[in-house]
Amino acid sequence: MKRSIYGLTFEQLTNWLTEHGEKKFRSKQVWDWLYQKRVTDFSQMKNVNQSCIDLLDEHFTIETLTEEIKQESKDGTIKFLFKLDDGNVIETVLMRFNYGLSVCVTTQVGCNIGCSFCASGVLRKNRDLSSGEIVEQIMQVQQHLDKQGKDERVSHIVVMGIGEPFDNYDNLIDFLRVVNDKQGLSIGARHITVSTSGIAPKMYEFADEGIQINLALSIHAPNNELRTKIMKINRAYPLEKLMPAIDYYLEKTNRRITFEYILLKDVNDHKKEAEQLAELLKDKRHLSYVNLIPYNPVADNPYERSEKEAILTFYQTLMDRGIRCGVRTEHGTDIDAACGQLRSKQIEKEKARKKKKMQEKHGA
Ligand code: SAH
Ligand code: SF4
C-alpha cells in the first residue's frame, strides 16, 4: 500500500526528494500545493515537473480517507465518519467556538487503555493510525470548509478523539510537526492540545520535545483506589508516578496543564473528591486548570451524568480552594459527538446487519 504524503514532515519530504534525485526546492512547491492550494491529486501540481509528479505518484497517495457519514448539529458541530484504506472507520469532529474552529482528531482505531466509562475503550485497539491519516483528518475538514466558500480556517486542534495519543507517540509527534509547520497549515502550537490518560514515561518525553503544545491529563479521580476502578491504566501509572511526571512537565515547559475530570454520578462527584483533588493540585495550582466534563452516557454502561447541583458544588469547592476550573460546554449532543459514540453505534449496526444476514442464510 502506498504511503500518505501528509505523513511526512517538511524535513522528511525534503530528504526523501533529494535522495530520489530531485532538487531541494521541490519540497516547498509540493507543500504549497498540499497545504495552501490543497489539491487532492499530484497531477494538479502545475509548477512541479512531470518526472517528480510521476515519482510522487508512484510512492505516495494524497487521499486515503473516504467520507462515510457527515452529521451537522444545530450548533454547527460537524461529525465526520471516515473509512480508512483497510475498511476500518474513525471519527473526526469540527467544533465552532467564539475563538475559532477546532478539530478533534482520532489517533488509533479503538483504544487499549479500556477506561470503563468510554465508548472507545469498549472496543479494543485494532491498529494505530499513521501520521498521514491523522493529518488527513484535518485536511478533509479544511477541504469541507473550502467547499463552503466562506474562507474559514481550522485554527485549533484537540487530540481527544478515539485512542490514546501517547500509545502512538512517534506518529503523533510527526502529525504535530506537520500541522504546526509555518510552511504548511501553520496551526499555532498554543492552539493545539494533546490529551492523555497518563502514560507517565511519554509525558517526560513530551516535555523534552521542545514544542509549545498544550497537554491535558485525564485524571478523573483524586485517589488511586477510585482511579483504578474507572481507569485500569492507573495500575501501571498510579498517581505517585503521574504527579512527578506532571511536575517535570511544568518545570520544563512552564506551561499550564489541564486536568480533565469526568463527573460520574455518585462515583467521583462528591464534595470529598473535590477536596482531595484540590489537595492533590495544591502545590501547582498556579499552572493548573481543571476541566469538569459532564459525562455523556454510553450504551450498556453503568454510569450516569452527575446532577447539576453536584457539578456546581464540585466546581465551587475547587474554586474556594484556589483551583481554577470550568465546566465543559457541550457540542453536538444531538449527533453523538462524544468520544467514539458515532463509531461504536455504526459498528453495532454493522454487527446487527451481519447477524441478520447469517440468520437469513441459515433459515432462522
Ligand atoms: N485517550 C485520551 C484522549 C482521548 S479521550 C484520554 O483519555 O485523555 C478524550 C477525553 O474524552 C478524555 O478526557 C476522556 O476521558 C473523555 N471521555 C471519554 N468518554 C467520555 C464520555 N462518554 N463522556 C465525556 N467524556 C468522555
Ligand atoms: Fe482510551 Fe481515552 Fe477512552 Fe480511556 S478515555 S478508553 S484512554 S480513548
Side-chain angles (χ1 to χ4, degrees), residues 117 160-161 163-164 195-197 218 220 260 262 293 295-296 298:
F117 49 80
M160 293 191 183
E164 170 46 54
S195 172
T196 179
S197 57
S218 294
H220 304 325
E260 292 164 285
I262 286 195
I293 310 173
Y295 178 60
N296 251 312
V298 171

Side-chain angles (χ1 to χ4, degrees), residues 147-340:
K147 279 186 210 131
Q148 307 292 303
K150 292 187 207 148
D151 202 20
E152 288 184 308
R153 296 292 297 274
V154 173
S155 58
H156 290 68
I157 295 175
V158 288
V159 185
M160 293 191 183
I162 301 164
E164 170 46 54
F166 284 177
D167 181 37
N168 186 13
Y169 191 81
D170 294 344
N171 291 341
L172 170 80
I173 296 295
D174 281 350
F175 155 73
L176 295 173
R177 297 215 184 272
V178 170
V179 293
N180 178 230
D181 198 312
K182 290 241 169 349
Q183 305 174 86
L185 291 173
S186 189
I187 296 176
R190 286 155 196 272
H191 287 185
I192 306 175
T193 303
V194 175
S195 172
T196 179
S197 57
I199 316 285
K202 294 291 172 192
M203 290 164 68
Y204 287 96
E205 221 174 311
F206 195 66
D208 287 336
E209 290 291 344
I211 31 179
Q212 300 287 308
I213 286 171
N214 305 307
L215 182 64
L217 171 69
S218 294
I219 191 151
H220 304 325
N223 61 63
N224 280 328
E225 193 190 343
L226 194 53
R227 195 163 190 270
T228 302
K229 226 183 239 170
I230 57 180
M231 302 174 77
K232 61 178 197 263
I233 186 79
N234 195 62
R235 275 196 208 109
Y237 304 114
L239 292 171
E240 59 273 19
K241 284 201 177 137
L242 279 184
M243 286 303 143
I246 297 276
D247 289 336
Y248 181 81
Y249 176 86
L250 293 178
E251 200 177 302
K252 196 84 207 240
T253 66
N254 204 32
R255 295 190 55 70
R256 192 171 82 166
I257 200 159
T258 299
F259 294 90
E260 292 164 285
Y261 197 103
I262 286 195
L263 289 159
L264 305 167
K265 187 180 171 187
D266 296 333
V267 177
N268 66 351
D269 66 348
H270 312 97
K271 190 166 185 198
K272 180 180 74 194
E273 279 101 31
E275 286 165 353
Q276 275 181 16
L277 184 62
E279 186 61 29
L280 189 69
L281 305 181
K282 188 171 67 180
D283 64 334
K284 42 188 138 287
R285 63 174 166 232
H286 58 296
L287 282 173
S288 301
Y289 179 83
V290 177
N291 203 356
L292 298 170
I293 310 173
Y295 178 60
N296 251 312
V298 171
D300 303 324
N301 192 298
Y303 302 115
E304 285 174 62
R305 172 176 293 203
S306 297
E307 303 287 351
K308 271 214 172 78
E309 217 166 278
I311 299 180
L312 276 178
T313 306
F314 206 96
Y315 170 85
Q316 203 54 52
T317 308
L318 290 177
M319 289 296 270
D320 289 347
R321 283 157 184 76
I323 308 286
R324 271 174 298 173
C325 60
V327 180
R328 181 185 284 176
T329 49
E330 289 174 277
H331 281 80
T333 35
D334 52 328
I335 56 162
D336 304 312
C339 179

Side-chain angles (χ1 to χ4, degrees), residues 76 79 81 99 146 260 286 290 307 350 362:
K79 181 131 199 176
L81 201 76
Y99 52 74
D146 292 345
E260 292 164 285
H286 58 296
V290 177
E307 303 287 351
E350 188 68 10
H362 296 99

